[in-house]
Amino acid sequence: MQLTTDEIDRFWSHVVKGPRETDCWIWAGAVGDDGYGRFWVRTEPHSIQRQQRVLRPHRVAWALAEGESIDLPPVVEHIVCDNPICVRADGTLLDHLEGSTQAANLSRIAQHGRRGAARGYRGRMLDREAMYRRSLALRAAVANGWDDERIARALASVDDAQMALF
């Protein structure tokens, strides 16, 4: 599946890029109850039925950066920040995302001891609800543009022991 020019423009309108070359690019659109972003596209842009499909924004960003279909590979991993609403991918060594396989993703999860929960920035276990709250706080912190202080406060409000992302 390939996105239309309008969908690509709409996608990037929901991204707040950090000012430094290693900062996350934060998805400021919809966030699901698992803490990952959501981006809706029409499956048949010119069809009368206009059915919609929901995509994960980090997969969209990776596919756009790599010139790949959104449908391949089966998994796009956050290899740098482990931040579910990060979409930093522009096809460079600074990318936070990497195309992978389900087997490799499951192996990485097991190596990090995450199994049923996600690991936080200091290795603390985060359940689904905590990931969701962290993503909402981070999205709200960039609502008016990038602000390091607001981002740090947002992350600290979720878990005081968390190390700042940036």
Side-chain angles (χ1 to χ4, degrees), residues 7 11 17 24 33 47 49 52 58 60-61 63 68-69 75 86 88 94-96 108-109 113 129 139 152 154 165:
E7 288 170 332
F11 173 82
K17 294 181 178 182
C24 287
D33 66 358
S47 169
Q49 291 178 329
Q52 290 191 335
H58 67 282
V60 173
E68 297 285 343
S69 168
V75 174
C86 176
R88 184 176 187 112
L94 298 173
D95 285 358
H96 289 197
R108 188 183 309 250
I109 288 169
E129 176 65 23
R139 181 185 68 178
L165 266 177

Side-chain angles (χ1 to χ4, degrees), residues 43-136:
T43 55
E44 299 294 330
H46 304 291
S47 169
I48 294 172
Q49 291 178 329
R50 294 185 175 172
Q51 294 179 350
Q52 290 191 335
R53 177 178 173 192
V54 64
L55 303 171
R56 293 200 177 204
H58 67 282
R59 175 182 291 276
V60 173
W62 181 86
L64 292 173
E66 297 295 326
E68 297 285 343
S69 168
I70 293 166
D71 300 313
L72 297 172
V75 174
V76 175
E77 294 187 65
H78 290 90
I79 59 167
V80 172
C81 60
D82 205 19
N83 175 2
I85 61 172
C86 176
V87 296
R88 184 176 187 112
D90 59 1
T92 70
L93 294 175
L94 298 173
D95 285 358
H96 289 197
L97 307 172
E98 179 179 278
S100 187
T101 65
Q102 185 66 21
N105 185 44
L106 292 173
S107 175
R108 188 183 309 250
I109 288 169
Q111 287 172 357
H112 293 158
R114 290 193 311 207
R115 291 184 188 92
R119 197 169 282 286
Y121 297 110
R122 286 198 156 180
R124 297 183 57 170
M125 299 303 276
L126 295 177
D127 62 19
R128 185 179 182 103
E129 176 65 23
M131 280 182 57
Y132 174 66
R133 285 183 288 130
R134 183 182 69 191
S135 291
L136 291 181

